[in-house]
Amino acid sequence: MSDPSRAGNRGPLAGMRVLELAQIMAGPTAGMMLADMGADVIKVEKLPGGDDSRDYREPRVNGVSAPFMILNRGKRGIALNLKDARGREILLRLVKDADVLTENYRRGTLEKLGLGYDVLARANPGLIYCAVSGYGRSGPYADKAGFDLIAQGFAGLMSITGEPGGAPAKTGNSVADINAGILAVAGICAAYAHKLRTGQGQVVETSLMEAALQQTYWQAAIYFATGESPGALGSAHTLTAPYQAFKASDGWLNIGGANQANWERIADTLGHSEWKTDARFATNADRMRNRDTLAAAIHEVVGTRTRAYWIERFDAAGVPVGPVHSIGEAVEHPQTRARGMVVEVDHPKAGRTRALGSPLHFSATPGGNSLPAPVLGQHTREVLHECGYSDAEIDAFAAAGVITTHD
């Protein structure tokens, strides 16, 4: 295991060592979250080139990919040529001291290199092997590659996103990728608890398809109950109304009438108490049947005043309300900053940069990780020293193209 006292390694998972063979988004999301909770995450990048997200050229900060940096902070980085037998031997030596290995290759890729779970488990029976794939490692689509866009379409997310009657739309964020990373963290932590009790490792796996499908709880409930697939509703809710975005005179805000009491407060705040007993709007079932009529009536009133005016009024009435922010407004908001969701790190090439922080907070074991995303091969020498390799051996590996060392 890694040394919990290593700089940057604090939190409930201090002492866990993770080898991240994953790239781009789902796996790196998991690795970053584990690092924020104290794990020593060693990003093992392929040669040549490293993680494919290093090639996402815009935007860049002093020549460094901003997408790569935001998903890979908190990790140490090495670069290995796993097509070379010497590179595979290095990985096997790393595996012996690891708790977790993550990968998001297509099924069979590591097996073809002689690095499947059966081989790795012989080197370390306690290894937790976490695989994130497109569709899972079983079933008729097990060998298909996966991408966030494809997963969103397959899982039905694109049929419920966007405006009614509009073209299929993906969510603005990579929800399948990001949720798959979060699910991987949950699985890894559960398997780690089992390992601490028994010493046994195991395979943990999830997929982009399942991560996207998991987001459809309400819509799946409707289909299972009625046999009908719900469609897109814009910002409206599929089960309750009014619960959507409305346009004020200077911008958009969300109003959440999630129950009868909130609806009645909304009607009073808008100056239309008579709506509470209007046969079209009296109950949630009535409001759902007349959702478009209700939304048009609310829009007409809300549009007469500013967003700030309505937020102040609805807050005072105890109605769930909030602005529809731009990304810039969201990350610069005092609440966001107070929760530590924006962090600053010093990158060796990009300089002082900002990134999103951890959404998890612990009272007894607060995490904290100030490591920037690694330069390709930045920690190769350091990590190989920890495995017992000499400088001469490391230099020979570098000269042969088996590894890359930043120095």
Side-chain angles (χ1 to χ4, degrees):
M1 287 189 181
S2 57
D3 179 1
S5 66
R6 175 178 297 280
N9 281 47
R10 296 172 291 155
L13 297 183
M16 175 193 281
R17 172 167 283 189
V18 179
L19 302 178
E20 180 181 290
L21 273 66
Q23 64 169 356
I24 301 182
M25 194 167 209
T29 295
M32 181 174 64
M33 292 183 69
L34 293 169
D36 279 337
M37 290 186 283
D40 177 19
V41 179
I42 299 171
K43 187 172 183 67
V44 183
E45 297 187 68
K46 67 180 188 296
L47 285 177
D51 188 315
D52 286 347
S53 67
R54 288 188 183 274
D55 289 331
Y56 292 173
R57 299 195 173 276
E58 297 298 337
R60 286 183 169 254
V61 182
N62 293 330
V64 183
S65 166
F68 176 84
M69 285 194 292
I70 202 166
L71 281 171
N72 292 286
R73 63 170 182 78
K75 307 169 188 178
R76 296 193 288 163
I78 70 173
L80 288 180
N81 181 359
L82 295 179
K83 294 181 179 180
D84 189 295
R86 292 163 292 184
R88 295 193 292 273
E89 179 56 38
I90 292 171
L91 181 67
L92 285 172
R93 190 180 294 194
L94 289 169
V95 162
K96 290 179 181 179
D97 293 323
D99 297 296
V100 181
L101 181 145
T102 66
E103 58 98 344
N104 61 350
Y105 293 103
R106 189 181 298 200
R107 187 179 72 163
T109 299
L110 289 184
E111 286 80 0
K112 290 177 183 178
L113 292 172
L115 295 171
Y117 173 69
D118 56 341
V119 174
L120 302 180
R122 284 198 295 271
N124 179 358
L127 182 70
I128 297 164
Y129 181 103
C130 180
V132 180
S133 59
Y135 296 88
R137 292 165 70 89
S138 60
Y141 276 21
D143 293 322
K144 288 177 68 72
F147 298 89
D148 180 88
L149 172 67
I150 310 303
Q152 289 198 35
F154 183 96
L157 281 181
M158 291 177 65
S159 73
I160 59 173
T161 304
E163 295 299 324
K170 69 179 289 295
T171 62
N173 67 319
S174 300
V175 65
D177 273 332
I178 295 170
N179 194 46
I182 296 170
L183 293 175
V185 171
I188 287 167
C189 288
Y192 190 55
H194 175 75
K195 173 181 175 171
L196 293 177
R197 289 195 306 269
T198 67
Q200 297 175 342
Q202 61 182 300
V203 175
V204 175
E205 63 140 331
T206 190
S207 70
L208 303 189
M209 179 274 287
E210 291 161 301
L213 194 61
Q214 189 204 28
Q215 302 296 310
T216 67
Y217 284 128
W218 291 140
Q219 290 79 14
I222 292 171
Y223 174 77
F224 291 145
T226 68
E228 298 181 1
S229 297
L233 295 173
S235 63
H237 198 282
T238 192
L239 297 175
T240 189
Y243 192 97
Q244 66 184 81
F246 296 95
K247 190 173 185 181
S249 62
D250 62 346
W252 290 81
L253 69 155
N254 286 316
I255 303 172
N259 56 45
Q260 188 66 20
N262 280 334
W263 156 242
E264 293 178 2
R265 295 187 190 105
I266 290 170
D268 289 338
T269 303
L270 292 173
H272 285 277
S273 298
E274 74 279 5
W275 287 351
K276 294 186 293 184
T277 54
D278 189 314
R280 299 170 300 170
F281 310 141
T283 68
N284 187 60
D286 297 327
R287 294 190 293 278
M288 290 296 290
R289 281 191 296 269
N290 297 282
R291 179 169 45 204
D292 292 344
T293 300
L294 175 62
I298 295 176
H299 268 294
E300 185 175 352
V301 178
V302 170
T304 64
R305 299 281 188 166
T306 66
R307 186 170 71 173
Y309 172 86
W310 287 119
I311 290 175
E312 181 179 0
R313 293 284 301 276
F314 283 121
D315 274 339
V319 174
V321 66
V324 177
H325 278 151
S326 67
I327 296 298
E329 288 172 324
V331 299
E332 301 293 356
H333 195 278
Q335 181 64 25
T336 303
R337 305 303 292 270
R339 293 293 289 172
M341 279 303 294
V342 176
V343 296
E344 294 188 349
V345 292
D346 290 308
H347 190 274
K349 292 181 67 175
R352 191 81 167 166
T353 61
R354 295 194 297 170
L356 293 181
S358 173
L360 294 171
H361 306 269
F362 300 90
S363 62
T365 55
N369 200 316
S370 60
L371 292 175
V375 174
L376 184 63
Q378 181 175 346
H379 304 99
T380 302
R381 186 175 297 274
E382 175 183 309
V383 172
L384 266 57
H385 276 159
E386 294 170 7
C387 292
Y389 288 103
S390 67
D391 277 322
E393 290 175 303
I394 294 170
D395 289 339
F397 289 143
V402 177
I403 63 172
T404 288
T405 60
H406 182 57
D407 56 4

